[in-house]
Amino acid sequence: MAIDLTREFKPIAIALLTVSDTRGPDQDTSGDILADRIRAKGHMLVTRAIEKDDALRIAARLNNWVDDRTIDAVIITGGTGLTGRDVTPEALDRIKTRDIPGFGELFRWISYETIGTSTIQSRACAVVARGTYIFALPGSNGAVKDGWDRILDEQLDSRNRPCNFVELMPRLTET
């Protein structure tokens, strides 16, 4: 697994959603971390929002973004825990076309190195919804760093070999 510098980097358009009942723009440190990393990589952060832990509201926001053909991917931080208010995976179930099960599995494997068995409490996940990638990470600063630095940074880089999410984008809606 390596970046092939002979290939062209293709920036993609990313929307960023923080799911939280308690955070506002001034307290959204995990969203800030992701926004900084998205821009530093050379991708376009096209929109950013905070939504309460409400599956219907989250799904409505995501449906709007998925229907916006200028958005290639959505990254969510928060709402992936086990409490009754953590409903991000349930919101994704409402709009998904298909799951990307390896994302959550890989995230928990990586997270195990940092937080040990506490990683079992994470429901990090990813889906494709009508041709748009949606990645849901836990809301902690450490989790978004692990998710971006160890998975998304490479998989959203068109130069990553042997394969990456970007090269699949034109074929995500094929039947």
Side-chain angles (χ1 to χ4, degrees), residues 37-98:
R37 280 167 161 73
I38 290 165
R39 289 185 190 109
K41 182 67 178 194
H43 296 299
M44 298 161 285
L45 180 61
V46 294
T47 190
R48 181 176 174 183
I50 298 175
E51 199 65 68
K52 298 284 185 199
D53 289 282
D54 179 294
L56 291 174
R57 290 176 63 171
I58 297 165
R61 168 86 62 180
L62 294 173
N63 271 320
N64 287 336
W65 286 353
V66 167
D67 289 340
D68 181 342
R69 297 315 318 154
T70 65
I71 296 174
D72 300 310
V74 177
I75 302 175
I76 303 170
T77 175
T80 62
L82 297 176
T83 73
R85 296 294 300 154
D86 293 317
V87 295
T88 297
E90 289 75 16
L92 294 180
D93 284 344
R94 293 173 181 267
I95 68 164
K96 71 182 179 185
T97 307
R98 67 178 38 165

Side-chain angles (χ1 to χ4, degrees), residues 16 26 32 47 53 57 64-65 70 85 95 102 106-107 109 118 120 125 131 137 144 146-147 150-152 164:
L16 177 57
D26 294 337
D32 291 341
T47 190
D53 289 282
R57 290 176 63 171
N64 287 336
W65 286 353
T70 65
R85 296 294 300 154
I95 68 164
L106 179 57
F107 176 82
W109 179 72
S118 294
I120 202 165
C125 57
L137 297 167
V144 298
D146 284 347
R150 309 246 343 247
I151 304 172
L152 294 174
N164 60 75

